[in-house]
């Protein structure tokens, strides 16, 4: 509190003393000087404890300065920012703050760091099985990321992903056995195999759309399975083809082998994430986001060659899948026939749907869940497939787009509930809705209406046969408290549509009318009933008002 | 010449079984918009139903066949209740429905595996061991029986769809699901009818196929994939297209086995399907009648 200027001045000196002023005090002991503004400030200060408001008040927001808004960390040498931040002013304290608009990079970074240090923090007893599962997770997550590129980014519903990986794995294994290729050649050759298969599979995709193509690729998968299992070259009898060169030396200690497997799977995952980022987030991905399903005509009219972009993405991911196939062969020294089975397709679909189709985070998280159920909980036996089936059923029955769609689904649901609550509030008389309240210029009106509504609700509880009877006996004059309150409210009503008694013939004919509330516009007749006496007319008017009150 | 005719009859026999599943896939897709990939499970379910009936109740072929069809109906209605009715009005229905049927086939296959074990089961020969000789060609009773019973089943279904009130509802759903629901055709009720009828067809195909081959928890997979391929070639949503495609693929199977060898059947089959689909993206029915758009 620097503005409270407290100076120590123990004595007061009369400024006139130097001229020899007579009388009075020349020097007096006096209390310390206090800022006369302080009492004003103290009185004015807002002493009520202020709670933080807003949806994310618990979140840390770094302070900001107007000049610093554009001063951000960037990926050298581009202009790309590392985190998407926005400078805003706090609605309540008016302090400048920096908020992070997209927090996903933080979560990605933390989870990847966790994966890197996992071998050092896992419990010793489970380390081996968990790390093996981690290596499998890296490979499957990479496959699913490429698949997400095909299904999500390119919008081609292909189920032949594992067929490409499998064909590449089998062909490279065969080449490695027969030509003695070293392990680092296998992914390279796998890329060409993937490209060749990608071209073959992409041909029908140019003509077919959606699920027609999906069913066709399901058949192609079966074709690959039958071709490989029945051909003699690929070891029809042994359940798979093994014997390829590998980067994992069998002479190493078992733990070293596992660690190499784990980190090579992790490196593959990182590479797949980069591929996803640079295909989905760059030009191709942007083009395809303009051309979602059933809006292709618009994209075409905008000058976007979406077909070419789709096929390009498909071929890129096929090359990547071929690479993964070669990697798979070098990782496992070969491949089993299982990779073509329908079961693998179901498992892959489970992985990408549980997380959410078309999202990198969904593909990786779904893969993690399924790999944990499938490879870590091995002692459950066949039950784990039933668990996976139930997880899938739960996802499709209750979630719109997998786990990572929950956030949006929850917000939609909350907005829907809000809207329902708002519309139900409309029935409860007269009070302004939030959107009306922001529109109206006269804010007093909001409170007048709220008070009026409360009063009417209270008055409704007073209405009973007794007070109606009392009014009938004596419309004018002193009444009981309940009736008096009701009458006061009626009398205080606004001029428009206020009921009045009209005298047609004095002491013989009375009628009830309603005022227009507008100067120069005549009142209107509300009913044809003729009352004999003015008291009866008063009572009739009273009943009419009570009816209006009870109905409002 | 004789063995070609023999192979063609073989092909038609197999095609008539797969054709039943193809028509089932086709009707489900066109009437409900559901890509039902759990026909493999319904197939095994019906097969085990028939096997249990034959073991524990009564061994008469007609009764076993009837029980297989009933089990197929139960399986179909089960899929309808578990997947179609909860999801049919939700966003992303097509893909969610497809994945739901896959989940059911995953769960169901495992449960069948746990209860019956991986050992293959065999149903008895329903049609006896008689033989019929027409112009130097010997027809065995089971082939005639398979072809006749699938034709009867298909005819019954087509007649039912053409002439009954329920069939009218299903056809209305096929033409335009929105308009059908506006004129008061209940989507859920029709869904149950459709799944019951297609389940019955799958059940029949299960009974017919399991007497020549064998029955195991996952034996429905290949018939389903073949049925889906046939439905795709014929054009999803068209019964006529599916029948034509089944006959063409049956011939293809016979000819390929004769001239190239049994290993190449799937390859020529897919080459054929891809060629047809590249020329006609909506399958053969693209020439015959309109298929469902979405």
């Amino acid at each position: 509190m620097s503005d409270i200027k407290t100076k120590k001045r123990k004595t007061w000196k009369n400024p006139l003393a130097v001229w020899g002023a007579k009388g009075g005090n020349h020097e007096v002991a006096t209390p310390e000087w206090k800022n006369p503004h302080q009492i004003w400030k103290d009185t004015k200060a807002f002493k009520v404890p202020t709670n933080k408001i807003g949806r994310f008040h618990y979140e840390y927001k770094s302070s900001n300065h107007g000049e610093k808004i554009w001063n951000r960390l960037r990926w050298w040498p581009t202009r790309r920012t590392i985190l998407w931040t926005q400078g805003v002013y706090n609605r309540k304290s008016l302090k400048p703050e920096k908020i992070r608009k997209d927090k996903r990079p933080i979560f990605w970074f933390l989870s990847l760091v966790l994966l890197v240090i996992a071998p050092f923090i896992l419990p010793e007893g489970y380390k081996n099985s968990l790390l093996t599962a981690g290596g499998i997770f890296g490979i499957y997550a990479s496959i699913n990321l490429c698949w997400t590129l095909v299904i999500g980014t390119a919008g081609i519903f292909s189920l032949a992903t594992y067929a490409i990986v499998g064909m590449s794995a089998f062909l490279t294994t065969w080449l490695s056995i027969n030509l003695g290729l070293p392990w680092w050649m296998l992914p390279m050759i796998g890329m060409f195999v993937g490209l060749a298969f990608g071209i073959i599979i992409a041909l029908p995709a140019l003509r077919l759309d959606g699920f027609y193509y999906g069913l066709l690729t399901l058949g192609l998968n079966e074709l690959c399975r039958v071709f490989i299992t029945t051909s003699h070259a690929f070891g029809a009898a042994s359940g798979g083809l093994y014997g390829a060169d590998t980067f994992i030396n069998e002479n190493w200690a078992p733990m070293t082998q596992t660690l190499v497997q784990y980190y090579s799977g992790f490196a593959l995952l990182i590479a797949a994430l980069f591929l996803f980022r640079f295909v989905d987030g760059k030009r191709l991905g942007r083009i395809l986001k303009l051309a979602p399903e059933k809006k292709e005509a618009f994209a075409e009219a905008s000058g976007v060659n979406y077909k070419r972009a789709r096929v390009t993405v498909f071929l890129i991911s096929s090359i990547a899948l071929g690479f993964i196939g070669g990697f798979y062969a070098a990782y496992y020294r070969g491949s089993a026939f299982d990779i073509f089975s329908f079961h693998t397709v179901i498992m892959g679909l489970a992985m990408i749907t549980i997380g959410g189709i078309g999202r990198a985070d969904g593909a990786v998280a779904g893969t993690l869940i399924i790999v944990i159920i499938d490879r870590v909980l091995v002692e459950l036996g066949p039950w784990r497939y039933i668990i996976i089936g139930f997880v899938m059923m739960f996802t499709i029955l209750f979630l719109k787009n997998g786990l990572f769609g929950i956030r949006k689904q929850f917000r939609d649901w909350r907005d829907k509930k809000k809207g329902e609550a708002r519309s139900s509030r409309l029935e409860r008389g007269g009070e302004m809705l939030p959107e009306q309240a922001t529109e109206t210029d006269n804010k007093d009106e909001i409170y007048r209406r709220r008070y009026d509504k409360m009063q009417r609700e209270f008055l409704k509880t007073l209405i009973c046969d007794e007070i109606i009877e009392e009014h009938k006996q004596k419309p004018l004059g002193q009444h009981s408290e309940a009736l008096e309150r009701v009458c006061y409210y009626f009398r205080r009503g606004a001029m428009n549509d206020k009921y009045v008694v009209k005298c047609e013939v004095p002491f013989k004919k009375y009628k009830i009318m309603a005022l227009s509330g507008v100067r120069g516009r005549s009142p209107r007749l509300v009913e044809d009933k003729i009352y004999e006496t003015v008291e009866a007319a008063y009572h009739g008017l009273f009943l009419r008002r009570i009816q209006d009150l009870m109905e409002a | 010449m004789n063995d070609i005719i023999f192979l063609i009859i073989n092909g038609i026999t197999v095609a008539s079984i797969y054709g039943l599943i193809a028509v089932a896939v086709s009707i489900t897709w066109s009437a409900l918009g559901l890509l039902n990939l759990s026909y493999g499970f319904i197939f095994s379910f019906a097969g085990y139903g028939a096997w249990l009936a034959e073991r524990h109740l009564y061994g008469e072929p007609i009764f076993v066949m009837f029980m297989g069809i009933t089990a197929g109906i139960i399986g179909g209605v089960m899929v309808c209740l578990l997947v179609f009715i909860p999801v049919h009005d939700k966003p992303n229905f097509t893909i969610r429905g497809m994945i739901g049927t896959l989940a059911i086939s995953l769960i169901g296959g495992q449960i069948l595996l746990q209860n019956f074990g991986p050992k293959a089961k065999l149903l008895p020969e329903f049609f006896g061991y008689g033989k019929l000789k027409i112009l130097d060609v010997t027809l065995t009773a089971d082939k005639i029986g398979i072809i006749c019973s699938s034709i009867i089943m298909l005819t019954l279904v087509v007649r039912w769809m053409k002439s009954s009130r329920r069939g009218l509802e299903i056809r209305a759903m096929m033409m335009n699901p929105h308009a059908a629901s506006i004129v008061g055709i209940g989507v859920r009720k029709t869904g149950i009818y459709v799944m019951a009828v297609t389940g019955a067809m799958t059940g029949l195909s299960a009974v017919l196929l399991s007497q020549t081959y064998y029955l195991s928890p996952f034996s429905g997979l290949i018939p389903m994939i073949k049925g889906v391929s046939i439905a795709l070639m014929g054009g999803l949503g068209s019964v006529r297209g599916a029948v034509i495609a089944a006959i063409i693929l049956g011939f293809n199977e016979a000819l390929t086995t004769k001239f190239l060898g049994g290993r190449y059947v799937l390859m020529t089959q897919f080459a054929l399907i891809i060629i047809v689909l590249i020329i006609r993206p909506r399958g053969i029915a693209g020439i015959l009648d309109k298929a469902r758009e979405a």
Side-chain angles (χ1 to χ4, degrees), chain A residues 160-227:
Chain A
T161 310
Y162 284 90
I164 297 177
V165 177
M167 286 310 278
S168 162
F170 270 98
L171 283 177
T172 50
T173 311
W174 187 81
L175 286 174
S176 178
I177 294 170
N178 289 333
L179 303 180
L181 293 178
W183 62 265
W184 50 269
M185 287 281 280
L186 301 187
M188 308 295 155
I189 293 172
M191 282 161 74
F192 289 101
V193 177
L195 179 64
F197 273 89
I199 290 171
I200 295 170
I201 300 177
L203 278 179
L206 290 172
R207 291 279 287 173
L208 289 173
D209 52 41
F211 291 92
Y212 285 76
Y213 186 70
L215 294 181
L216 183 71
T217 49
L218 194 65
L220 286 175
N221 200 47
E222 179 68 10
L223 170 65
C224 289
R225 188 183 72 80
V226 172
F227 173 71

Side-chain angles (χ1 to χ4, degrees), chain A residues 3-15:
Chain A
D3 50 352
I4 306 170
K5 286 172 188 159
T6 319
K7 293 178 187 170
K8 290 206 165 181
R9 203 187 273 181
K10 302 220 168 147
T11 52
W12 178 80
K13 285 176 183 168
N14 186 350

Side-chain angles (χ1 to χ4, degrees), chain A residues 365-393:
Chain A
T367 311
L368 188 67
I369 293 171
I370 297 293
V371 167
I372 286 176
I373 298 176
D374 191 19
R375 304 290 165 121
V376 180
L377 309 173
V378 186
E379 62 265 32
L380 289 177
W383 276 104
R384 53 192 206 278
Y385 299 117
I386 296 177
I387 293 174
I388 291 173
F390 277 111
V391 173
M392 278 168 91
M393 281 301 281

